[in-house]
Amino acid sequence: MIEFFKMSGSGNDFIIIDNRDGALVVADIVKFVQELCERKGSVGADGLIIIEKSLRADFRWRFFNADGSEVDMCGNGGRCAARFAFLKGIAPAAMSFETGAGVIDAQVSGETVKLRLADPRELALDYQLPTEGGSLIVSSVNTGVPHVVSFVDDLEHFDVFHKGRWLRYHAHYQPAGTNANFVQVVNRHTIKVRTYERGVEDETLACGTGSVASALIASRKGLVASPVAVRVKSGETLKIYFDVADAGYRDVYLEGAANVVYQGMLWEELFKKQ
């Protein structure tokens, strides 16, 4: 049997497995992730995090979306992985871990984790996407994974699922696709964000890298300034810190709660399906 933790980062939920000993061996990792993250027939989660050994940081992670796709980075998942590593004695409170987006620094303080992200790239502001009825003005940035950002007046009643899915699969972002964020500015240091996540293929209760992308785009448009409080669908608030640089941004941090929901054991019956 394999031990796992179920954790929540501001509404994003993840299954985390310590695989530094290599005990987790599955023939089809995509199928395994899909079955493990399925809500009704298994543990259920937005994604799976596998902790492995690293030669240049406290640990290395592999992050899988619920559909089995492996991606470089996830902000809320990164915060959960950091607290998991601290609780399990894998890393000290001030740690670094290896991701596909580079080595990430994290600081654990109780249930709060502050994550330093890799510098954002591919910033593009206010460009038009063709639609059947004309065009939509959006902005985009890669904060470890690609995000497109659109500003709306009434976020509560906005059709995030259908508009987000349209953006996620738009020809402009193929073949990889993108995550889609819809933003309403509250004041100079507060925004509200709802996100359709690639790989989950639905709106999630929170998205860390999406919150960062939304805050950075809002800053570049002159609407907010650091620090930015981001109110997400779950009702929780993430905090984004950053410094403005000539070519973009540096020293970008994501801070919020990372909570343990439960821990358990994956039975052999699950692995027999592989």
Side-chain angles (χ1 to χ4, degrees), residues 33 46 48 66 92 119 134 137 151 153 160 177 191 197 207 218 222 254 267 272-273:
V33 173
D46 290 331
L48 170 67
D119 289 344
I137 297 177
F151 290 82
D153 294 325
V160 170
I191 60 176
E197 285 201 54
C207 177
L254 167 66
W267 280 45
K272 287 181 178 178
K273 296 180 181 180

Side-chain angles (χ1 to χ4, degrees), residues 7-10 12-16 47-49 51 59 61 63 73-84 97 113 115 197 206-209 254 258:
M7 297 189 68
S8 173
S10 302
N12 264 152
D13 58 339
F14 308 98
I15 301 161
I16 307 182
L48 170 67
I49 297 167
I51 304 297
F59 62 92
W61 89 341
F63 181 86
M73 187 55 193
C74 171
N76 288 334
R79 294 189 301 102
C80 288
R83 186 162 183 237
F84 172 86
F97 61 98
V113 179
L115 206 67
E197 285 201 54
C207 177
T209 54
L254 167 66

Side-chain angles (χ1 to χ4, degrees), residues 61 180 184 214 247:
W61 89 341
Q184 183 176 342
S214 299

